Amino acid sequence: MPESLEHIDKNASKEEKYKQVLIEIKSLVQHEKDFIANLANISAVLKEVFGFWWVGFYLVKDNQLVLGPFQGPLACTRIQLNKGVCGASWGQSKTIVVPNVHQFPGHIACSSASLSEIVVPIIRISSNNEQGQVLGVLDVDSEYECHFDDIDQHYLEQLVRESIEPCFN
Ligand code: SME
């Protein structure tokens, strides 16, 4: 049975909410093997607790990023390597924080309401592939400028490392 999120204090600090959410998500995914089901619930938890404008996943398929599970408004379905923030995160294998999307060259505006964004790559590291292979990205958009800071980056990267990357194995 899915657990309710009622015990997470919506008025707590952002850091405290991330700490609780990470515990919640770890327990959610360890009981389910299907990675699409897990990505769907992870999007739902992040949307419900933080109220992000758009939160979801793009997955690498046939050398493109293809829309995966998400919560929020309609989104573009395919993104090419190095295009937009998601394609840049994929190409550079690193987290990209964009305080104002209008100042990011090539930003893909799925929704004109989105003003800032953070994209974290999902990476598979194997012994013969030290750089790692990007499997997809976690994309979070906000309708507020400068919404994402070091706290978001720290905890979203921890989330990806601890609870999302293992779903792909
Ligand atoms: N803005 C993203 C595209 C995805 S949507 O925001 C959901 C980008 O520039 O990659």
Side-chain angles (χ1 to χ4, degrees):
M1 268 299 277
E3 293 170 36
S4 132
L5 298 173
E6 277 163 19
H7 59 284
I8 297 185
D9 178 5
K10 304 278 190 330
N11 298 316
S13 69
K14 178 161 77 171
E15 187 156 21
E16 188 50 44
K17 283 194 281 191
Y18 270 119
K19 285 181 180 162
Q20 294 182 37
V21 156
L22 260 61
I23 294 169
E24 188 70 35
I25 288 177
K26 223 181 222 177
S27 116
L28 261 177
V29 303
Q30 79 186 17
H31 295 113
E32 175 54 62
K33 285 200 190 95
D34 188 280
F35 81 99
I36 291 289
N38 284 333
L39 299 186
N41 263 343
I42 291 169
S43 310
V45 171
L46 293 173
K47 174 78 173 170
E48 186 173 336
V49 174
F50 295 101
F52 295 130
W53 176 254
W54 194 96
V55 50
F57 297 89
Y58 282 90
L59 303 172
V60 176
K61 293 180 188 171
D62 299 330
N63 209 36
Q64 293 180 322
L65 284 173
V66 182
L67 184 63
F70 73 96
Q71 296 267 320
L74 195 66
C76 42
T77 54
R78 287 172 190 268
I79 298 174
Q80 308 303 319
L81 182 63
N82 293 320
K83 298 291 178 199
V85 188
C86 293
S89 172
W90 173 21
Q92 296 168 35
S93 295
K94 67 169 202 191
T95 299
I96 299 186
V97 181
V98 180
N100 180 334
V101 297
H102 299 305
Q103 286 164 13
F104 186 93
H107 168 256
I108 300 164
C110 290
S111 158
S112 58
S114 170
L115 285 184
S116 57
E117 180 163 358
I118 179 169
V119 179
V120 181
I122 300 163
I123 298 172
R124 177 192 283 139
I125 311 271
S126 58
S127 46
N128 55 357
N129 179 7
E130 278 175 23
Q131 273 229 299
Q133 174 196 5
V134 177
L135 304 169
V137 299
L138 165 63
D139 179 14
V140 189
D141 291 9
S142 169
E143 70 273 45
Y144 305 108
E145 240 183 280
C146 302
H147 192 93
F148 303 104
D149 58 18
D150 291 350
I151 294 177
D152 297 281
Q153 178 166 355
H154 174 83
Y155 286 102
L156 291 174
E157 285 179 345
Q158 189 178 335
L159 169 69
V160 167
R161 229 175 25 248
E162 290 182 355
S163 292
I164 297 176
E165 287 166 354
C167 290
F168 286 79
N169 293 325

